[in-house]
Amino acid sequence: SLFLSPERSLKRKMTEVLLARRMEKALSKEEILETYLNQIYFGHGAYGVQSAARTYFGKDVGELTLAESALLAGLPRSPNEYSPINHPDRAKQRQETVLKRMLAEKFIDADRYKKAVSEDIRLRQLHEKDENPSYFLEYLRLYLIGVYGDDMVYKGGLNIYTTLSLDMQQLAAKTFKK
């Protein structure tokens, strides 16, 4: 899903198999998971788990509770359908599904399951000013990685200047909503 189009065809499935084998040879399982979690869409303009933690809870990923983490883990399947902002009941059901699976797979015990299911999730209030141009930043990040490589983008200390005006972007988003 990170590298291919969403089309459903035999050719795409074969390409997926080949790509998966190459990735498994080049990367550890942890690196594959890290790449995936930093790329996927979680809804409301949040790409990657850190961005999702900030968007929904105003926290860093390491500060999330089990209940909050389970809620985020349920979002990639369908970020719009399970949005805790637009569909809190569906999000809660999905969170419980994730927690039940964690219990069944013995990642958590019954006490942690009960505590997480009963935890009151407090979402951070989204405001108009939170409308961020994440699609633009994601495109820019992918472009820079293609040109300069991962090491230079993430560790090279680059200063990036773009034509993006956050004020203009927010005004455009507000106008579009009206």
Side-chain angles (χ1 to χ4, degrees):
S1 66
L2 296 176
F3 305 111
L4 303 174
S5 70
E7 75 172 309
R8 292 178 180 217
S9 67
L10 184 59
K11 180 181 176 186
R12 184 183 192 276
K13 282 293 176 193
M14 296 304 290
T15 306
E16 279 181 16
V17 170
L18 294 173
L19 186 57
R21 286 187 177 171
R22 284 186 184 171
M23 287 178 68
E24 287 177 347
K25 285 182 182 178
L27 303 169
S28 69
K29 289 188 186 294
E30 290 80 16
E31 290 170 322
I32 293 170
L33 180 62
E34 180 183 349
T35 300
Y36 177 72
L37 290 175
N38 284 318
Q39 296 276 334
I40 57 175
Y41 185 61
F42 285 87
H44 297 280
Y47 286 88
V49 71
Q50 175 65 19
S51 177
R54 288 222 176 263
T55 297
Y56 292 110
F57 305 112
K59 299 179 178 181
D60 284 330
V61 138
E63 300 170 332
L64 295 178
T65 66
L66 175 60
E68 292 165 340
S69 297
L71 188 138
L72 290 184
L75 288 177
R77 181 174 184 194
S78 183
N80 294 327
E81 185 177 333
Y82 297 117
S83 164
I85 293 166
N86 298 334
H87 306 289
D89 293 340
R90 289 184 205 162
K92 183 65 176 170
Q93 288 174 340
R94 182 75 179 139
Q95 175 210 40
E96 288 181 21
T97 300
V98 169
L99 290 166
K100 283 179 189 171
R101 183 68 188 266
M102 291 179 74
L103 178 63
E105 297 293 328
K106 298 185 176 17
F107 287 109
I108 58 173
D109 61 25
D111 289 337
R112 289 190 72 199
Y113 170 80
K114 289 175 191 171
K115 182 180 176 189
V117 167
S118 64
E119 182 179 316
D120 185 30
I121 299 288
R122 294 192 183 130
L123 297 173
R124 125 179 214 277
Q125 188 68 35
L126 294 181
H127 302 285
E128 291 288 324
K129 66 179 182 167
D130 292 328
E131 292 293 330
N132 64 53
S134 57
Y135 60 90
F136 177 82
L137 298 176
E138 179 64 7
Y139 173 81
L140 180 62
R141 187 181 68 78
L142 292 173
Y143 172 78
L144 292 170
I145 288 172
V147 172
Y148 298 107
D150 284 342
D151 284 342
M152 181 57 84
V153 171
Y154 292 116
K155 301 174 186 170
L158 297 175
N159 290 319
I160 311 295
Y161 300 93
T162 73
T163 57
L164 179 71
S165 165
L166 190 55
D167 291 337
M168 294 294 281
Q169 182 66 33
Q170 289 168 345
L171 180 60
K174 185 177 180 180
T175 302
F176 181 74
K177 280 185 177 181
K178 286 182 182 177

